[in-house]
Amino acid sequence: MRVRSADGIGLHAEVTGAAGTSSGTEAPVTVVLAHGWTLDSRCWEPVADSLVGAGVPARVVRYDHRGHGRSDTADPSTLTIEQLADDLAALIEQVAPDGPLVLGGHSMGGMTVMALAERHPELVAARLAGVALVATASGGLADATFGLRPAQLELFRRAERRLYASRGWDTRRALSKHPWLLRPGMKWLLLGSDADARAVRLTTKVVAECRPSTVSGFRPTLEAHERDAALAAFAQVPVEIMVGSEDRLTPSSFSRRIRKALPDASLTIFPEAGHMLPVERVAGVSARLQALARTAARSSAA
C-alpha cells in the first residue's frame, strides 16, 4: 500500500495480519518495523512472516523509508533522521490510527524510533506499548571505527568521500547492477561469521539496489544522531535491546549505552551474529517481538 508523508513523499508499506486474530476479532496491537540505512522493508520480511505465522494478535506493518526501496526519492535536504521520525508519525496516523503500538527499529530504524519520541512525544506517551531496538545506537556514530585500526579507518573514510564525489554518483539508479560484486564487502561489514546463504543473498541484493544518493544523503544525519535523552520516553514500557556479538557498525558497546539509560530493558547479545539480525537471527528477533506484542495485547484487554 501507499501512504503519504507530511511533505507529500510516497512511502511504500506492507501490512500483514490485518484480518485479525484467529478468533475473528480485530487485531488489538500494531507492530511497526522500521529498517536500516541502505536497506528496505524486505529485510524485515522473514520476521514479519514469523510473527504472523505464530498467530501473534497483531497487525504487522513494515515500510520503506524515503529514498529507500519502493518509496519515493526526496530532496537531499530532507534525508535526515528527524524527517524519518515525521514520516513514521504520518505512517502511523494513516495505517494504525488507533490502539497500542509496538515499534521495532533496526539500525537507522531504531534511531528513527528514538527521534519519534523526541519529535512526537504525545504519540509515544499515548500509544507506545513496547519497543525493540535492534542493532542500533543512541549516539556516538561519528566516532565509530568499524573494527578498523586508525590508519585503515582513514583510508576507508577517504575512499568513501571520493566515491560520493565521483561523476554520476547522484544520478545512478542503483549502487550496483551486479550484487555478487558487493558480497565480500557486505559479508565483512554487515554479517556475522555464521550467516546463512539466505541472509547473505538478501542483504547483498537489497544494498546493491539502494540508490547511491540515499547512501551518501543519509551519512551526515547518522553521525549527528545523539538521542540518549530521548530514551527516557521508553522507561515505562517493555524494551528489548538486541545486538550481534560480531556487529561492526553498531557493536555491543552501543547497545550497552542504551541499556545504561534504560536499566529495566532486556539486552540480548546474539553470538556470532553481525549487524543484520532481522535476517541472521529471525527466530530470536521474532520471539522477542512476539513477547512484546502479546504483553501489549494483554494490557490492552485488561
Side-chain angles (χ1 to χ4, degrees):
M1 67 180 297
R2 204 78 170 166
V3 300
R4 286 283 169 186
S5 68
D7 62 346
I9 296 297
L11 303 174
H12 175 79
E14 302 275 350
V15 181
T16 51
T21 65
S22 58
S23 64
T25 59
E26 184 179 352
V29 177
T30 301
V31 178
V32 182
L33 303 174
H35 66 79
W37 175 49
T38 76
L39 306 174
D40 64 40
S41 58
R42 286 174 291 178
C43 294
W44 275 116
E45 184 175 3
V47 169
D49 289 347
S50 179
L51 289 171
V52 174
V56 174
R59 300 167 71 233
V60 182
V61 180
R62 52 191 173 90
Y63 69 103
D64 296 338
H65 292 304
R66 62 176 56 213
H68 293 77
R70 284 171 280 182
S71 289
D72 291 349
T73 57
D75 187 280
S77 67
T78 71
L79 301 185
T80 66
I81 292 172
E82 292 83 358
Q83 182 64 62
L84 296 186
D86 294 347
D87 291 350
L88 177 54
L91 174 92
I92 290 169
E93 181 181 356
Q94 294 168 63
V95 177
D98 303 297
L101 297 168
V102 171
L103 301 179
H106 172 232
S107 194
M108 188 172 73
M111 301 171 208
T112 300
V113 172
M114 297 174 205
L116 182 76
E118 181 180 77
R119 294 175 67 82
H120 300 273
E122 300 86 359
L123 169 63
V124 168
R127 304 201 36 214
L128 190 64
V131 182
L133 299 173
V134 184
T136 190
S138 58
L141 292 171
D143 299 319
T145 67
F146 312 124
L148 298 172
R149 293 190 293 273
Q152 294 173 317
L153 182 62
E154 176 55 32
L155 287 173
F156 176 85
R157 297 287 197 197
R158 196 178 304 163
E160 186 180 39
R161 290 192 294 269
R162 282 202 303 267
L163 184 64
Y164 292 170
S166 61
R167 184 178 180 182
W169 172 260
D170 287 339
T171 59
R172 289 163 53 191
R173 297 180 60 128
L175 199 57
S176 176
K177 296 180 181 179
H178 307 289
W180 62 270
L181 290 173
L182 302 181
R183 193 172 300 154
M186 293 301 96
K187 288 182 69 174
W188 176 82
L189 183 62
L190 296 180
L191 295 155
S193 56
D194 70 344
D196 63 24
R198 181 188 183 188
V200 175
R201 183 171 58 252
L202 180 57
T203 300
T204 304
K205 177 177 175 60
V206 169
V207 174
E209 292 177 1
C210 184
R211 304 172 182 93
S213 58
T214 294
V215 177
S216 55
F218 277 98
R219 194 73 169 87
T221 195
L222 292 168
E223 295 197 346
H225 168 71
E226 294 291 340
R227 290 189 168 84
D228 287 324
L231 296 172
F234 307 145
Q236 303 304 314
V237 299
V239 177
E240 293 282 351
I241 305 166
M242 293 170 253
V243 67
S245 67
E246 298 178 5
D247 190 331
R248 293 180 184 273
L249 283 186
T250 55
S252 59
S253 59
F254 289 99
S255 289
R256 294 185 192 281
R257 173 171 165 171
I258 296 171
R259 174 69 180 282
K260 185 176 180 180
L262 296 169
D264 292 332
S266 174
L267 171 61
T268 302
I269 301 176
F270 291 97
E272 299 183 306
H275 187 65
M276 295 297 295
L277 292 181
V279 295
E280 291 184 77
R281 294 292 184 269
V282 176
V285 173
S286 176
R288 286 155 181 80
L289 279 163
Q290 285 181 42
L292 291 173
R294 293 187 192 281
T295 297
R298 286 194 298 270
S299 298
S300 176

